[in-house]
Amino acid sequence: MQTRRDWNMMLSNRRGTLAAALCLACAIVFAAPQTIKPGEVWPDDHGNHIQAHGGGIVKLGDTFYWFGEDRGGLGASGDYGACYGAICCNMTRCAPWSDPSKRYVACYSSKDLAHWTFRNQVLKQGDPGDLGPRFVLERPKVFYNAKTRKYVMYMHIDDARYALARVGVAVSDTVDGDYQYLKSFRPLGQESRDIGQFIDDDGSAYLIFEDRPAKGFHIAKLSDDYLTVEKDVCLIHAPLEGGAVVRYQGLYYALGSALTGWNPNPNKYATASRLEGPWSEFQDIAPPEANTYGSQSTMLLKVAGSKATTVIFMGDIWKPRTQWDSRYLWMPVEIGGGKMRLPEPKEWTLDVETGVAAIAK
Ligand code: GAL
């Protein structure tokens, strides 16, 4: 059976001639500063819109790896019109066939955070329990454990009614290998829906998880091998999901979105000098009427360069009926002195060496 790689290669060959003709244009585009365009289709190295929704990023050496929900296949929603080998087409697009009984996680790599190379569908997960055909696998996050040299993926595992509220754990020996699903559980015995990840400056790894009955979200330390959640560091009493944490100039900033499903809402942040708290009151990250410019938080990524440290708000602009077409809103935030502001989305560039971000005028 053809894989997505085969399909991509086929497409690449066909596009060969066109690519040669456009070579000059390409050279100009890729020599230009690394532009990030919030809200637009974000093509990978094969020209396919990146499938890393609800994602997270881990940096290894000088390479960033982006993991997220791959909603790109046709078949998963049963909406394909006709399939030709491994490729299915409906009224709007052709895409690799994906097994409707599985959920997929994709991995991409980049050195500049703007150009992304598709690496692998690192997880192709069938029903991991008795959850039924509409089971949920969302918001995968990968941690690298230097002691065990394993890559450990956490994800939200649920049934169709979101009643199970567990995390799933999968592992791999390589960052973009085929992850092996191990288990699911409720972290610290608590309900867990949206998850986030945070690596502190000392390398400690934390899972962030939303706990509906407690009306808040936890920041919890992972065990030494990262295979379980060991200790509750803090339960922040605010009904927020899409949780993210960053440490900037000695202060922790926690961010989250209100509980409005796929619909955007004004995301909010609070600060604390210790992860344990106390945390400040939550404040809007952008004018509330902007509804976070249509997006929902998934991560705060810190890029520390030789001249500056930039914190990137990573958000998803969800399109619930055409999930594969959901977009990404990444913007450098204005941060410092206990304040964090998400500027109006515009094209911007980032120099990962210097850490300097520049937003188009
Ligand atoms: C959102 C959540 C998403 C997804 C969605 C389903 O609140 O952030 O990851 O679970 O609900 O409605």
Side-chain angles (χ1 to χ4, degrees), residues 112-296:
D112 62 14
L113 289 170
H115 299 106
W116 290 93
T117 301
F118 172 74
R119 303 290 288 239
N120 188 16
Q121 258 179 345
V122 289
L123 192 64
K124 306 171 186 68
Q125 185 60 45
D127 185 345
D130 198 8
L131 305 182
R134 289 174 55 230
F135 83 92
V136 167
L137 190 164
E138 291 177 340
R139 296 185 177 266
K141 305 283 178 293
V142 168
F143 299 85
Y144 174 61
N145 188 298
K147 281 186 198 148
T148 61
R149 298 195 178 169
K150 299 266 186 209
Y151 298 84
V152 183
M153 182 190 295
Y154 275 76
M155 67 208 88
H156 172 195
I157 291 289
D158 231 316
D159 60 17
R161 295 186 305 114
Y162 287 89
L164 196 75
R166 286 174 163 237
V167 290
V169 180
V171 290
S172 171
D173 290 333
T174 54
V175 64
D176 59 355
D178 295 327
Y179 282 66
Q180 188 202 345
Y181 188 88
L182 293 184
K183 59 183 173 179
S184 77
F185 58 94
R186 281 188 170 176
L188 307 165
Q190 308 303 312
E191 291 191 11
S192 168
R193 291 185 176 81
D194 280 8
I195 59 164
Q197 70 186 133
F198 171 57
I199 312 285
D200 207 343
D201 293 345
D202 66 2
S204 305
Y206 299 90
L207 186 77
I208 301 161
F209 64 95
E210 190 251 327
D211 181 345
R212 200 67 52 97
K215 294 193 176 60
F217 66 101
H218 295 261
I219 303 171
K221 202 161 190 298
L222 298 182
S223 60
D224 262 8
D225 59 9
Y226 291 2
L227 296 182
T228 195
V229 178
E230 201 167 74
K231 184 172 174 279
D232 203 10
V233 173
C234 188
L235 166 62
I236 303 185
H237 287 283
L240 297 173
E241 60 182 11
V245 172
V246 73
R247 186 183 198 181
Y248 184 81
Q249 292 180 345
L251 201 61
Y252 293 97
Y253 292 73
L255 169 73
S257 100
L259 312 174
T260 57
W262 302 119
N263 299 322
N265 56 65
N267 291 191
K268 292 179 187 297
Y269 74 95
T271 60
S273 50
R274 296 165 68 240
L275 267 188
E276 292 82 354
W279 288 86
S280 70
E281 288 293 309
F282 276 84
Q283 304 180 52
D284 291 320
I285 191 174
E289 62 279 9
N291 266 341
T292 323
Y293 305 107
S295 73
Q296 181 188 25

